[in-house]
Amino acid sequence: AISSKLERNSLAIDRAFDVARRHARHLRGQAAQARNILKRLEREKDDLEAGARLPLTAGTYAKFRAFLERSWDLRFEDPGRMVRFALLAVKCAEQLDARFYGVQRVCDFQCEAQAVLGNAYRVAQQLDRAEAAMDRARQLFELGTRDPVREIHLLEREAALDAARRRFKRAIMKLETVFRYRRRHGDKHLAASAMIQQGLYMTYAGDPEKALQIWRRSLALIDASQEPMLTYAALHNQVRILCDLDRFHEAERRLFSLRRLQRQAGRLNE
């Protein structure tokens, strides 16, 4: 009886590994498809036509990934198209087969799509719609695998929406969670990015002195040779706040550091 039970357990483990390997192969194939779809989308002008003309062999998950990526790519230049591609991603996520991917993972994918849609609505200044999408993303997160990395991404987007709605204390608290997680996992770049956003929201909340302290601490985490855009953002914010505080001599000294980085400032900073 013991031997029979061990054999059954061994077969169950083998089946689980087979399923995991099939899923891994499937996702690799879908990722390759997604890259090809994205290249095609970048050449198209009409978003709906672009989605409709994709090959019939294109997988739903591949389209989901490509639409998410295209939405993010448009964040600086076309908020309206950013929203449209996010909506296409949501539609694809809703069509994913829970029998194949599993109910919790489908909830994860739908959570990701709703969070991207909420962020797109925020960029497009449709804040009520952004709020509804973010609330739905949070509900789906709770129904999914509750992966901590996915929650950190969600918290970052929720914080951005809180700031857009002038809920600065809530945004700062969420970014503190993000900062602690990033630092604990050794990602100094993303930890510093969270601190820079915190400082910005502290400024908006009427606490510029605290913001200066935060930005000085963030610079200690950044390798300026590797992350010139992030360094520029932190220094630029310092100069602006020093001017607001009438500390003009100190601000002028900081401007010299900014000028050295100006060519590498990046499109948004520029």
Side-chain angles (χ1 to χ4, degrees):
I2 293 173
S3 175
S4 177
K5 185 176 181 181
L6 288 172
E7 187 176 346
R8 287 197 302 272
N9 288 342
S10 177
L11 288 172
I13 291 169
D14 288 343
R15 282 196 297 271
F17 275 115
D18 284 341
V19 170
R21 281 192 289 268
R22 281 203 307 275
H23 276 207
R25 283 196 301 271
H26 168 76
L27 291 177
R28 284 196 298 272
Q30 292 287 287
Q33 275 194 33
R35 288 192 290 272
N36 292 331
I37 292 170
L38 184 59
K39 290 177 184 176
R40 186 168 183 157
L41 295 175
E42 288 168 350
R43 296 193 298 266
E44 297 282 354
K45 300 270 187 199
D46 189 318
D47 304 336
L48 295 177
E49 283 293 321
R53 283 202 299 265
L54 291 175
L56 294 175
T57 54
T60 303
Y61 183 82
K63 290 188 287 187
F64 160 70
R65 282 286 161 213
F67 291 148
L68 284 183
E69 188 68 28
R70 187 61 182 142
S71 177
W72 179 252
D73 288 345
L74 291 163
R75 64 194 183 280
F76 295 141
E77 59 190 73
D78 197 332
R81 295 183 70 205
M82 183 186 184
V83 168
R84 288 197 292 275
F85 276 110
L87 285 167
L88 289 171
V90 167
K91 185 176 180 179
C92 286
E94 290 171 349
Q95 294 170 351
L96 290 171
D97 188 349
R99 291 171 298 179
F100 179 79
Y101 293 101
V103 172
Q104 286 187 310
R105 293 190 76 191
V106 168
C107 286
D108 284 349
F109 299 145
Q110 291 178 359
C111 165
E112 189 175 356
Q114 288 288 345
V116 168
L117 177 61
N119 193 53
Y121 277 136
R122 176 189 64 82
V123 173
Q125 294 298 307
Q126 299 180 47
L127 298 186
D128 289 341
R129 289 181 173 180
E131 193 94 52
M134 285 298 182
D135 287 347
R136 181 59 180 151
R138 176 56 67 177
Q139 292 167 3
L140 288 161
F141 173 80
E142 297 298 334
L143 295 172
T145 61
R146 302 186 71 177
D147 174 53
V149 176
R150 182 166 279 103
E151 181 166 33
I152 290 301
H153 290 315
L154 183 56
L155 282 169
E156 288 173 327
R157 291 183 171 118
E158 287 174 339
L161 178 57
D162 283 334
R165 307 216 82 156
R166 304 193 65 78
R167 300 187 298 244
F168 298 120
K169 289 184 179 179
R170 282 172 59 174
I172 290 165
M173 287 175 62
K174 287 173 181 174
L175 286 173
E176 182 63 23
T177 301
V178 172
F179 165 72
R180 290 176 185 274
Y181 179 89
R182 299 296 193 193
R183 186 179 61 177
R184 188 166 65 248
H185 288 81
D187 197 330
K188 291 184 177 181
H189 164 72
L190 291 177
S193 180
M195 290 183 78
I196 290 170
Q197 284 300 114
Q198 272 188 311
L200 195 61
Y201 299 157
M202 285 172 184
T203 303
Y204 296 158
D207 196 349
E209 292 287 357
K210 185 69 176 293
L212 277 177
Q213 294 173 24
I214 289 284
W215 285 328
R216 286 184 180 126
R217 284 171 54 205
S218 72
L219 283 167
L221 295 174
I222 306 170
D223 182 345
S225 64
Q226 298 296 317
E227 303 292 349
M229 286 176 60
L230 202 57
T231 304
Y232 185 95
L235 289 171
H236 179 276
N237 289 343
Q238 280 192 26
V239 169
R240 191 176 71 177
I241 295 305
L242 288 168
C243 288
D244 289 344
L245 294 171
D246 294 340
R247 292 161 62 175
F248 300 116
H249 292 299
E250 190 176 352
E252 190 171 29
R253 289 197 301 272
R254 294 283 181 184
L255 275 174
F256 287 106
S257 299
L258 272 181
R259 290 191 182 108
R260 288 198 300 271
L261 293 167
Q262 195 165 6
R263 290 182 181 178
Q264 300 169 294
R267 184 174 171 189
L268 183 59
N269 286 328
E270 188 178 357

